[in-house]
Amino acid sequence: MANIENQKFIALDIFGKNYLSWVFDVKLHLSAKKLRHTIDEDNVASNDECATALIFLRHHIDDGLKYEYLTVKNLLELWQNLNDRFKHLKAVVLPKALNDWSQLRFQDFKTVLEYNSTLFKIVS
């Protein structure tokens, strides 16, 4: 029980609302653990490395997604399935961010803190 790993970041939402930031976080954490190559298509990762990365990935997805992909035991297959499911979000999020950016005006905010907060939300 002492080896149970806490979540390092917010789990992937079942609706994919946080998919883009989740992918970035997963790639960063796998890189830090020297397991980034396990999610590449032409990887030569060992079974132990893939199993470790699969556990990490499953630990950071919503319970509904876990049950939906319960039978997927291949890390690369799970990664690709999630990508296929949520990749459309780039086409949805980018135009909205560009629109928000073009309409961002400093004078619409009461404080610099509010402006900075909105600015960073758009950028991220």
Side-chain angles (χ1 to χ4, degrees):
M1 284 294 217
N3 247 352
I4 293 178
E5 185 175 340
N6 292 332
Q7 283 188 339
K8 303 295 184 187
F9 48 89
I10 296 173
L12 176 60
D13 181 67
I14 193 164
F15 302 110
K17 293 177 188 172
N18 62 336
Y19 177 72
L20 298 175
S21 63
W22 178 83
V23 167
F24 184 70
D25 289 337
V26 168
K27 288 181 178 180
L28 280 176
H29 279 80
L30 289 178
S31 292
K33 293 181 174 209
K34 308 237 184 305
L35 295 172
R36 171 69 171 80
H37 63 282
T38 58
I39 58 173
D40 294 334
E41 275 192 47
D42 53 343
N43 72 56
V44 290
S46 70
N47 287 339
D48 290 343
E49 289 176 326
C50 286
T52 302
L54 181 61
I55 291 167
F56 178 81
L57 199 64
R58 289 186 55 81
H59 188 70
H60 289 86
I61 61 176
D62 184 82
D63 287 340
L65 290 171
K66 283 181 191 175
Y67 293 126
E68 187 171 336
Y69 296 108
L70 189 62
T71 60
V72 177
K73 295 179 180 164
N74 182 328
L75 171 68
L76 191 55
E77 184 181 346
L78 177 61
W79 182 256
Q80 197 60 44
N81 286 344
L82 292 171
N83 183 44
D84 291 344
R85 180 178 179 139
F86 297 118
K87 70 181 171 188
H88 71 281
L89 291 175
K90 287 182 184 176
V92 173
V93 172
L94 183 59
K96 183 182 179 327
L98 291 173
N99 182 45
D100 290 349
W101 179 260
S102 68
Q103 296 187 10
L104 184 68
R105 298 183 327 168
F106 185 74
Q107 63 204 33
D108 292 339
F109 298 90
K110 293 180 182 176
T111 65
V112 174
L113 183 62
E114 289 176 12
Y115 174 80
N116 279 342
S117 177
T118 303
L119 175 73
F120 288 128
K121 284 180 186 176
I122 293 170
V123 170
S124 68

